[in-house]
Amino acid sequence: MKRMLVTGAVGQIGSELTMLLREKYGGDQVLAAGHHTKPTQKLENSGPFEFIEITKPGEVTNIIKKYEIGTIYHMAAILSAVGEKKPQLAWDVNMNGLYYILEAARESNCAVFVPSSIAAFGPNTPKDNTPQDTIQRANTMYGVTKVAGELLCDYYWTRFNLDTRGLRYPGIISYETLPGGGTTDYAVEIYYEALKQKKYECFLGPETQLDMMYMPDALNATIELMEADPDKLVHRNAFNVTAFSITPEHIAASIKKFIPEFTISYKPDPVRQAIADSWPNNMDDSCATREWGWKPQYDLDAMTEDMLKNLKIKLQIN
Ligand code: SER
């Protein structure tokens, strides 16, 4: 079997995806690639690791050849809030980086997973039950790169028969690795602060409704899509997937069930609030269910219980 490559392997999703793929297929089979950040001991000791500069085409090509890569999980990206601060960097990493990955994949005939996002939609997209195929006039640089990325991946599939697949991830909540500069990060921070301070000041307003998902469901969705029967896939880049659609008020109420003294206050940050307001309230993910059997395991309370249990251990809080 040819090896797998995970780019962005030190990031929020990449770090856990690498570990799960290594458990499933063997440590040596999965090359983890990061940018600057030092990998954790766990990541370093469980299989091969390389630092790569995704915006330099030669580096990606060399690594794919050196390790005989057959499947790429391209998780390296700049997220929405950082993308608004540094739009040129977001374009370079998210678009040029993706183009180099696809070109290298084409040369070596690799399958490629590329994450898209709720950010691939914009203010004039239908907000409720957002269809799989609909208007996508994203108005953030992150969103622009996600829409263009979806189109580019579909182009490589139809033009070069390259096996590209993707998911429109909602906000992903997890306890292993912190997200880096997204608009949905509040939904992770809130759990840390609930345990550490018993209170949280939220940078989005109380009624800001967005799709979310717990990490185990996001990882399963990713691997299930890559293992899906290609003949059943009508869509490829990228599938709507969600587990639940919630507001900061909903998460606070869920946390209160386990930590009754928890309180939340609100100080909306204009930039991130505007980004969140341009995204759907809730997506219709029935195409993912129909075409490859998508079904989430965790609802909000099940996630809250598991997050608090695992974060207590991580933060050594009794
Ligand atoms: N979680 C991402 C962000 O907030 C959305 O894809 O940027």
Side-chain angles (χ1 to χ4, degrees):
M1 196 176 95
K2 284 195 147 192
R3 291 194 185 84
M4 295 168 186
L5 162 66
V6 180
T7 70
V10 185
Q12 186 198 9
I13 306 175
S15 57
E16 293 202 48
L17 180 64
T18 302
M19 294 310 296
L20 187 62
L21 289 170
R22 284 178 175 170
E23 270 168 39
K24 234 172 127 68
Y25 301 103
D28 285 348
Q29 289 303 111
V30 184
L31 169 65
H35 187 213
H36 285 320
T37 316
K38 212 177 132 35
T40 56
Q41 285 285 311
K42 202 156 83 172
L43 210 58
E44 221 170 14
N45 296 340
S46 58
F49 184 90
E50 295 265 3
F51 283 112
I52 60 167
E53 184 62 67
I54 212 76
T55 55
K56 296 213 175 104
E59 293 198 11
V60 176
T61 311
N62 290 345
I63 264 193
I64 287 174
K65 294 206 168 117
K66 180 175 162 195
Y67 286 88
E68 297 182 344
I69 300 295
T71 304
I72 304 167
Y73 290 87
H74 181 45
M75 312 309 283
I78 301 290
L79 291 183
S80 59
V82 175
E84 286 315 287
K85 278 202 198 108
K86 301 176 180 172
Q88 294 81 1
L89 176 72
W91 178 268
D92 195 25
V93 173
N94 296 6
M95 283 321 300
N96 294 334
L98 173 61
Y99 174 67
Y100 299 141
I101 285 278
L102 289 171
E103 271 299 290
R106 185 177 64 79
E107 281 172 23
S108 301
N109 196 26
C110 301
V112 193
F113 174 85
V114 180
S116 185
S117 160
I118 47 175
F121 298 113
N124 59 357
T125 301
K127 279 212 170 299
D128 291 302
N129 215 22
T130 304
Q132 173 67 40
D133 301 305
T134 186
I135 302 164
Q136 292 183 263
R137 306 285 301 175
N139 64 355
T140 62
M141 179 52 96
Y142 177 67
V144 167
T145 67
K146 288 296 164 188
V147 182
E150 288 186 8
L151 293 173
L152 194 61
C153 289
D154 269 347
Y155 180 82
Y156 271 71
W157 161 240
T158 50
R159 177 75 169 77
F160 303 117
N161 207 23
L162 193 74
D163 186 358
T164 58
R165 307 180 189 193
L167 299 172
R168 290 183 187 132
Y169 287 132
I172 306 295
I173 296 159
S174 65
Y175 56 85
E176 282 279 348
T177 311
L178 285 168
T183 301
T184 56
D185 295 10
Y186 91 85
V188 177
E189 289 172 8
I190 194 171
Y191 288 100
Y192 281 78
E193 296 309 306
L195 285 170
K196 287 198 274 192
Q197 315 285 350
K198 308 266 185 279
K199 61 178 187 192
Y200 177 64
E201 186 180 83
C202 188
F203 60 73
L204 295 182
E207 289 169 7
T208 311
Q209 192 185 342
L210 294 167
D211 281 308
M212 302 270 173
M213 185 184 290
Y214 197 31
M215 183 63 88
D217 280 328
L219 299 179
N220 287 338
T222 306
I223 295 175
E224 278 165 22
L225 173 62
M226 290 311 279
E227 291 180 344
D229 177 355
D231 294 340
K232 299 223 167 80
L233 300 181
V234 180
H235 297 87
R236 280 182 165 262
N237 301 284
F239 284 93
N240 287 1
V241 280
T242 179
F244 36 82
S245 164
I246 48 168
T247 66
E249 272 181 339
H250 291 141
I251 304 193
S254 180
I255 291 174
K256 268 177 192 280
K257 291 181 191 168
F258 302 90
I259 307 174
E261 61 274 41
F262 174 70
T263 58
I264 186 165
S265 58
Y266 299 93
K267 194 179 172 199
D269 159 39
V271 174
R272 286 178 287 186
Q273 186 66 54
I275 296 174
D277 290 343
S278 76
W279 293 350
N281 293 335
N282 54 79
M283 290 185 287
D284 170 8
D285 58 3
S286 55
C287 285
T289 307
R290 218 168 27 244
E291 293 174 39
W292 49 275
W294 159 241
K295 194 173 182 294
Q297 305 294 323
Y298 285 86
D299 64 15
L300 174 58
D301 284 343
M303 175 182 80
T304 298
E305 190 174 2
D306 201 65
M307 272 295 281
L308 293 174
K309 188 181 87 192
N310 282 291
L311 268 183
K312 264 189 195 164
I313 300 166
K314 181 177 175 181
L315 303 172
Q316 298 178 325
I317 292 172
N318 291 317

